[in-house]
C-alpha cells in the first residue's frame, strides 16, 4: 500500500478506538496500552450491546420451539452462521459448524474425521509453528490408532522450510495441519501453496486460522483447504464461541462426535439417526448469545474493512519492528517478510516473565512465555518470549509506550547499554 492510501486508511481505522470502552480505563494509574491481542481482543460497544439486547429482547432456545421468540432466536443464530460463511467465503452456510473455539473445532475434526480415516502407519504432517491446540489432538488420535506425526521444520527467520515440508508428504500422509498465522512469531504461512502440495499427495488439510481472521481477508475457497478453524474472541467477539469450516462433501460424510439433543433425527433405545449437517455437530443447546456477539463482531470488522485493518496493522508492525531492532539488547524472534502484527522478542538479561510484570506497572499489557508453542520455543533454544500483538486499535504511540517501558525495565536491570 502506498503512503497516501495508508494516510487515508490510518485515521479511518484509528477513529474506531472509541468503540472499545475498555481502552479508556486506566490500569495502575496509567493509560492502558493493550498489546495482548493474540491472546484475546477487546470488544467494541456493538458486540457488548448485541449480547445485552439479545438477553433483553430475544432470549429463547433455538431450533425446537414453535413460539415466536424461539423462531426469532433461531433466525438470529442462523444469521450468525451466514455471517461466518461470508467472513470465510465458504460456498454454503451448511459448511459452518459452531464450536467453542479453535481448539474444539480441531478436536472435532480429529475425533470425527480423524478416527474414521486414520489407521496404523498413517501420517499426520504438522509444521513446527503449530499452537498446542493443533498438536495435542493429533497426538491423542495417533496414539489411539497407531498413526505418526511428522513435523515440517522452521527456518531461522521463523518460516516453514517448504522443501522439507514437500519432502515429508507422501502416500501415508492423511492429514496436514497448518497454522495460517503463527501466534508466537506472526509468520503468515503460504497456506494455498501448502494446501495444493498436500492435495497432490492425497491428504486433507486443516488450517488453524485463530490468528488470521481478524487481521486480513480469508477465503477458504481460494486457499482450497478442507477444514478451517477460528475463535470468536480473537476477532472482537465473545469467548466460548468459534467455528469450524468443513467442505460440504467431507462434512456430510462425517459422523457426530458428541451425542445429545439437537443433533438427532430420531431416537429409540435400539438406535438413533442423526440430523443433517451442520446440526449433526452441534449437540445440546449452543452458545446462542455467543453466536449473536460473533455475528456483531464480524459485521463490525467487515464494516471497518479487513483490507484497511491489514494495511493499518502492517504499518504499526513495521514501525514496531524498526523500534525494537534499534533497542540494544533486544532480539526479535520471527523475522519473516510475511508477518502479521505480532512482535515476539527476548531482552538480554531479563526473563520474559519479569519483563511482562515490569511493563504491566507502566500500563503496557503484553504476553510472556511459550505462547502454547513449546516445540517452537525449543527450536529457538529459548524458554519463551515477550510478545506484543496488534489489533486495529493499536497505534504507533502504543509502540512508543512499549519502547519507553522496555527502556525502564533495562535500566532497572542495568542492561541494554549499546
Ligand atoms: N491456534 C492459535 C494459532 C492460537 O493462537 C490459539 C489461541 O491462542 C489457538 C489455536 C486456540 O484458540 P482457543 O483457545 O480460542 O481455542
Amino acid at each position: 500500500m502506498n503512503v497516501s492510501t495508508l494516510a487515508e486508511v490510518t485515521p479511518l481505522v484509528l477513529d474506531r478506538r472509541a468503540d472499545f470502552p475498555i481502552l479508556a480505563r486506566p490500569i495502575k494509574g496509567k493509560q492502558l496500552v493493550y498489546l495482548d491481542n493474540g491472546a484475546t481482543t477487546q470488544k467494541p460497544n456493538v458486540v457488548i450491546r448485541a449480547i445485552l439486547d439479545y438477553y433483553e429482547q430475544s432470549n429463547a432456545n433455538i431450533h425446537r420451539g414453535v413460539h415466536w421468540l424461539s423462531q426469532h432466536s433461531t433466525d438470529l443464530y442462523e444469521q450468525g452462521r451466514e455471517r461466518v460463511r461470508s467472513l470465510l467465503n465458504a460456498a454454503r452456510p451448511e459448511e459452518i459448524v459452531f464450536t467453542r473455539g479453535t481448539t474444539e473445532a480441531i478436536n472435532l475434526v480429529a475425533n470425527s474425521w480423524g478416527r474414521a480415516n486414520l489407521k496404523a502407519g498413517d501420517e499426520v504432517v504438522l509444521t513446527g509453528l503449530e499452537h498446542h491446540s493443533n498438536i495435542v489432538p493429533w497426538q491423542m488420535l495417533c496414539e489411539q490408532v497407531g498413526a505418526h506425526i511428522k513435523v515440517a521444520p522452521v527456518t531461522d527467520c521463523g518460516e516453514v522450510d517448504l522443501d522439507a515440508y514437500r519432502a515429508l508428504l507422501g502416500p501415508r500422509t492423511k492429514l496436514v495441519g497448518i497454522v495460517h498465522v503463527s501466534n508466537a512469531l506472526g509468520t503468515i504461512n503460504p497456506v494455498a501453496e501448502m494446501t495444493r502440495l498436500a492435495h497432490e499427495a492425497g491428504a486433507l488439510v486443516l488450517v488453524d486460522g485463530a490468528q488470521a481472521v481478524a487481521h486480513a481477508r480469508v477465503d477458504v475457497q481460494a486457499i482450497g483447504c478442507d477444514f478451517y478453524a477460528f475463535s470468536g474472541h480473537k476477532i472482537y467477539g465473545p469467548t466460548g464461541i468459534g467455528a469450524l469450516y468443513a467442505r460440504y462433501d467431507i462434512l456430510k460424510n462425517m459422523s457426530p462426535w458428541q451425542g445429545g439433543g439437537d443433533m438427532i433425527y430420531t431416537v429409540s433405545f435400539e438406535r438413533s439417526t442423526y440430523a443433517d449437517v451442520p446440526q449433526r455437530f452441534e449437540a445440546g443447546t449452543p452458545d446462542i448469545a455467543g453466536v449473536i456477539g460473533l455475528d456483531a463482531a464480524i459485521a463490525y470488522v467487515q464494516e471497518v474493512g479487513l483490507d484497511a485493518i491489514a494495511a493499518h496493522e502492517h504499518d504499526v508492525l513495521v514501525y514496531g519492528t524498526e523500534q525494537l531492532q534499534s533497542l540494544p539488547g533486544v532480539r526479535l524472534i520471527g523475522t519473516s517478510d510475511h508477518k502479521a502484527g505480532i512482535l515476539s522478542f527476548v531482552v538480554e538479561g531479563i526473563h520474559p516473565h519479569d519483563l511482562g510484570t515490569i511493563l504491566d506497572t507502566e500500563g503496557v499489557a503484553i504476553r510472556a512465555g511459550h505462547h502454547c508453542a513449546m516445540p517452537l520455543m525449543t527450536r529457538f533454544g529459548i524458554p519463551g518470549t515477550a510478545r506484543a500483538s496488534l489489533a486495529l486499535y493499536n497505534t504507533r504511540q502504543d509502540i512508543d509506550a512499549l519502547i519507553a517501558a522496555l527502556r525502564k525495565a533495562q535500566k532497572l536491570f542495568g542492561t541494554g547499554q549499546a
Side-chain angles (χ1 to χ4, degrees), residues 121-136:
D122 284 344
E123 292 173 358
V124 171
V125 170
L126 303 174
T127 84
L129 289 170
E130 299 312 306
H131 186 281
H132 296 167
S133 65
N134 204 19
I135 301 174
V136 183

Side-chain angles (χ1 to χ4, degrees), residues 38-39 101-104 131 133 179 181-183 208 210-211 231 233-234:
T102 309
T103 304
E104 192 178 62
H131 186 281
S133 65
V179 69
V181 173
S182 158
N183 67 305
D208 168 357
Q211 298 293 340
S231 303
H233 69 101
K234 296 187 198 283

